[in-house]
Amino acid sequence: MDIASEYRYREPVHRPNDLVIGITQSGETADTLAAMRLARESGSKVLAITNVMGSQATRDADAVLFTRSGIEVSVAATKTFVSQVAAMYLLGLRLAELRGTCPPARIAELVAELKSLPSKLQEAIVNSEEQVRAIAAAQKDQRFFMYIGRHIGLAVCLEGALKLKEIAYIPADAYAAGEMKHGPIALLDESTPVVAVATDSPVVEKMLSNMEEVRARGADVIAVATEGSDQVSEVADQTLFVPRTDWILQPIVAIVPLQLLAYYVAREKGLNVDQPRNLAKTVTVE
């Protein structure tokens, strides 16, 4: 993974057999398009993942995967984010199938789980919405939020913190939970809400330990956990449960409460959630 705006200034090494994947919701993001063109000019194959048919990315790429999320009015992408993650999972599973790196039974299991996710996403919204609204009302005046997670949970934290910054204008940082003691833990006190993504995973026990460290500093811990995970509730002040699915697919459902949290905090502050200040739907200049 690389950031498109940095990629082309690093003299990247491209080879004819490389595949470069450009992810751009609008298909018109200037930095991503420039990186894709550089890769293609160097002989690599380029795949675009985008939501907009006929966009520039579709013309610049060798192949396209459309996320087909429909028109999204909000500048801060929500459903397109989930769709992009799902598309990457499907691509990864197909590559694993072709390369023989994952047992067919495991691939079939994950594909079945992916097909069940739409109903689980709806369930996640319905089950957590009222609780998220209450948390947002209580925390709307906080000046800083910290998000912590491990493994795939860290990616969820990055997206959750970004949404809070984008539409609620609250500074928020996302950190790998195991890195807290290398600096970020100094920020914690009784006035710091800490959002912890602690869904089931091979590192959940480590995550629970990190949450205990956070609470010991007086911070208010808001956890996102897999349904039925009682251990998480024991070390969190409030727990937002999401439907159970395979641990590796948890990010798709775990992001929903965090997107809702940003939405309701912004609403509580009387802000325009669809058109945040200083942001544009498509970044067409560098």
Side-chain angles (χ1 to χ4, degrees):
M1 189 285 295
D2 208 345
I3 299 168
S5 60
E6 297 285 337
Y7 182 73
R8 62 190 177 120
Y9 297 111
R10 292 179 177 160
E11 298 184 15
V13 177
H14 298 108
R15 295 166 299 183
N17 289 330
D18 288 343
L19 174 64
V20 175
I21 303 171
I23 304 175
T24 161
Q25 180 232 328
S26 66
E28 304 289 348
T29 309
D31 294 325
T32 308
L33 292 174
M36 289 167 57
R37 288 169 187 153
L38 176 63
R40 202 173 184 204
E41 288 165 4
S42 300
S44 296
K45 295 295 184 183
V46 174
L47 168 66
I49 294 181
T50 184
N51 191 44
V52 182
M53 296 183 183
S55 59
Q56 188 63 47
T58 67
R59 298 192 289 274
D60 288 351
D62 295 292
V64 184
L65 281 177
F66 289 107
T67 51
R68 304 183 188 279
S69 303
I71 295 173
E72 183 164 309
V73 175
S74 174
V75 169
T78 49
K79 65 183 180 182
T80 45
F81 171 83
V82 173
S83 299
Q84 285 170 175
V85 176
M88 291 302 297
Y89 273 122
L90 288 170
L91 177 61
L93 287 169
R94 178 59 174 154
L95 287 172
E97 182 179 45
L98 292 171
R99 294 163 71 96
T101 57
C102 187
R106 176 62 172 154
I107 293 174
E109 179 185 8
L110 288 170
V111 169
E113 283 292 321
L114 276 167
K115 289 180 178 179
S116 74
L117 285 180
S119 61
K120 291 181 179 180
L121 283 167
Q122 184 63 37
E123 186 182 340
I125 295 171
V126 172
N127 290 352
S128 63
E129 191 166 15
E130 287 304 313
Q131 189 181 359
V132 170
R133 290 183 69 169
I135 293 171
Q139 304 284 2
K140 69 181 190 313
D141 295 323
Q142 299 291 357
R143 300 181 65 183
F144 172 73
F145 279 68
M146 183 182 289
Y147 289 66
I148 59 172
R150 282 178 174 266
H151 204 276
I152 54 176
L154 175 58
V156 179
C157 290
L158 289 165
E159 166 66 4
L162 175 63
K163 287 293 169 281
L164 193 70
K165 286 180 277 194
E166 283 181 318
I167 64 174
Y169 314 151
I170 296 175
D173 281 332
Y175 285 98
E179 295 296 301
M180 281 195 310
K181 290 182 179 179
H182 294 285
I185 201 165
L187 296 168
L188 301 182
D189 59 24
E190 291 80 1
S191 65
T192 311
V194 175
V195 180
V197 176
T199 50
D200 285 357
S201 77
V203 293
V204 70
E205 292 296 330
K206 292 288 186 182
M207 191 64 209
L208 294 173
S209 175
N210 295 138
M211 291 165 63
E212 289 176 333
E213 291 177 337
V214 166
R215 287 190 80 187
R217 272 73 181 180
D220 187 20
V221 178
I222 303 162
V224 177
T226 304
E227 201 170 41
S229 299
D230 297 331
Q231 283 182 297
V232 177
S233 297
E234 293 173 5
V235 294
D237 295 287
Q238 299 179 78
T239 307
L240 299 166
F241 288 104
V242 294
R244 183 170 294 279
T245 186
D246 193 282
W247 75 269
I248 207 164
L249 303 179
Q250 283 285 334
I252 291 182
V253 289
I255 192 54
V256 170
L258 302 192
Q259 289 176 335
L260 286 173
L261 178 63
Y263 172 81
Y264 281 115
V265 170
R267 287 283 301 272
E268 287 287 338
K269 294 166 72 72
L271 301 173
N272 186 332
V273 296
D274 289 326
Q275 296 179 307
R277 68 189 182 198
N278 305 331
L279 296 181
K281 188 65 177 170
T282 304
V283 183
T284 57
V285 294
E286 186 173 1

